[in-house]
Amino acid sequence: MTEETPGFDEKPEVPSDATPEDAAQGAGSADQAGPAPAGEELVEVGLQAQLDQAQSALNERTADLQRLQAEYQNYRRRVERDRATVKEIAVANLLAELLPTLDDVGRARDHGELVGGFKSVAESLETVVAKMGLQQFGKEGEPFDPLVHEALMHSYAPDVTETTCVQILQPGYRIGERTIRPARVAVAEPQPGAQKGDGEGDEPAEESGGPDKG
């Protein structure tokens, strides 16, 4: 009986009941295990690319939504502003038609004719227009402002230092910052030369004192 020495051509043990196909499959199993990690990496790269694409699309849709929301807010503010302007113009036009009646009421009050039922009606009318925002302006002694005053009469006065409203011929009316009608007034300016101290400016003062000497 001879002793066998294993060599380089030693084959793996195969069960006695194994078929040739099983032996071949067992021998090739080691070769099939290698490519698996490379396939998983390709899948991860594909998934990451899809995720990046979805994130980019989400960012674009979010930006579009924010832009639409901003445009809607601007549109709503513009509509509200236009609505308020149209309402103010409509109220101003209505009140402008009532100004002659209010002038008649004012003249009747100045002459003591605002009595009885007429007085109640006039006061009710004035209350209603005040609730609608109508404000009267214009007082004697206030400086003349061409933006809110209309000068119908002009004179000189020694007791004024600037152009001054000395008489209110018709009161002015406004709604908020909108002037419906300027106040119609008589104005007085300082007398020419009244503010001069020397020279020719003194001569008119000497002439004015003439009657006292006589």
Side-chain angles (χ1 to χ4, degrees), residues 11-158:
K11 296 181 180 180
E13 295 183 358
V14 179
S16 58
D17 55 348
T19 62
E21 290 79 5
D22 294 338
Q25 184 176 2
S29 60
D31 297 335
Q32 295 177 356
E40 293 179 358
E41 184 177 354
L42 291 176
V43 171
E44 291 179 359
V45 171
L47 292 176
Q48 186 63 39
Q50 294 179 0
L51 180 61
D52 294 341
Q53 185 178 3
Q55 185 65 41
S56 177
L58 177 62
N59 294 337
E60 292 178 0
R61 299 299 180 270
T62 302
D64 293 340
L65 180 60
Q66 292 175 346
R67 183 169 56 254
L68 289 175
Q69 186 176 8
E71 291 177 356
Y72 172 73
Q73 294 294 337
N74 292 334
Y75 168 77
R76 190 172 72 174
R77 284 193 293 267
R78 185 168 60 253
V79 169
E80 292 176 352
R81 184 175 60 252
D82 293 344
R83 184 183 294 114
T85 301
V86 170
K87 179 181 178 181
E88 183 178 347
I89 293 175
V91 172
N93 292 336
L94 173 62
L95 294 177
E97 297 295 329
L98 295 176
L99 294 187
T101 302
L102 295 175
D103 291 337
D104 292 338
V105 170
R107 283 189 290 267
R109 181 179 287 111
D110 293 339
H111 290 83
E113 300 175 356
L114 200 63
V115 295
F118 181 45
K119 179 180 180 180
S120 300
V121 173
E123 291 177 349
S124 298
L125 176 61
E126 291 174 339
T127 300
V128 170
V129 297
K131 288 182 178 179
M132 297 177 69
L134 185 66
Q135 299 176 351
Q136 186 183 102
F137 66 91
K139 295 181 180 180
E140 294 182 3
E142 64 185 9
F144 175 76
D145 184 354
L147 296 178
V148 296
H149 296 136
E150 181 181 353
L152 301 182
M153 298 176 63
H154 177 271
S155 63
Y156 294 97

